[in-house]
Amino acid sequence: MGGMSGPYPIRGSVSLPEAELQWRFSRSSGPGGQHVNTSDSQVELRFDLAATDALPEVWKARALERLAGRLVNGVVTVRASEHRSQWRNRETAAVRLAALLAEATAPPPKPRRPTKIPRGINERRLREKKQRSETKRTRQSRDWG
């Protein structure tokens, strides 16, 4: 498995620009063995979404709008600390960022076209409604009791 696996595709031919990724490593929290206190296995991956030229303008605008709540000065941050080895966390973080950007840059869904209800179905519904109300009305007669 060794080494970082190459570019992380976002969608189509666009992938994460390696040069624009900023990595930071720190110690993971949580339990571990003797090795854990000395190794910086938690990974923080930062990507400056506002300043990048790697994404098409339309995508960039879309992503900036959709990720507005997650951005700090136009920078999106992803953390990974579930694996014990740093490079597996790097993989996870990069894949996560790629997936996040893929979702944020996806084109908006097509507007829903309302379907037309066939007249027969509507008429049947109204007929059943009338029948039901008739049934209930006949139960209301006050002569018993």
Side-chain angles (χ1 to χ4, degrees):
M1 262 186 158
M4 288 287 289
S5 60
Y8 297 92
I10 296 176
R11 203 169 56 253
S13 59
V14 182
S15 54
L16 279 180
E18 290 285 343
E20 293 181 33
L21 301 179
Q22 298 161 347
W23 299 92
R24 233 176 69 200
F25 308 102
S26 53
R27 298 196 183 134
S28 283
S29 60
Q34 294 88 330
H35 176 65
V36 78
N37 299 329
T38 57
S39 63
D40 293 343
S41 62
Q42 175 172 290
V43 172
E44 192 179 283
L45 173 57
R46 298 160 62 89
F47 176 61
D48 195 339
L49 189 57
T52 188
D53 291 325
L55 300 178
E57 277 308 310
V58 191
W59 287 22
K60 195 161 123 179
R62 222 179 268 157
L64 283 168
E65 186 185 332
R66 290 196 187 153
L67 297 175
R70 280 195 68 154
L71 297 177
V72 181
N73 301 332
V75 177
V76 64
T77 306
V78 175
R79 262 194 207 90
S81 60
E82 51 268 34
H83 300 297
R84 286 179 59 176
S85 79
Q86 186 191 98
W87 84 261
R88 281 182 64 197
N89 278 331
R90 287 176 70 142
E91 289 283 297
T92 307
V95 168
R96 230 181 256 168
L97 180 62
L100 184 72
L101 289 175
E103 201 178 306
T105 57
K110 288 195 172 80
R112 180 186 168 281
R113 276 183 50 217
T115 50
K116 196 170 183 308
I117 298 170
R119 203 163 86 223
I121 289 180
N122 214 9
E123 283 171 359
R124 190 179 75 203
R125 181 182 62 87
L126 292 172
R127 210 173 33 249
E128 284 171 1
K129 233 174 121 131
K130 269 203 185 88
Q131 227 169 359
R132 189 89 190 117
S133 81
E134 189 57 35
T135 307
K136 289 191 169 194
R137 215 169 49 78
T138 55
R139 285 188 198 147
Q140 279 180 356
S141 57
R142 294 258 184 268
D143 54 356
W144 52 270

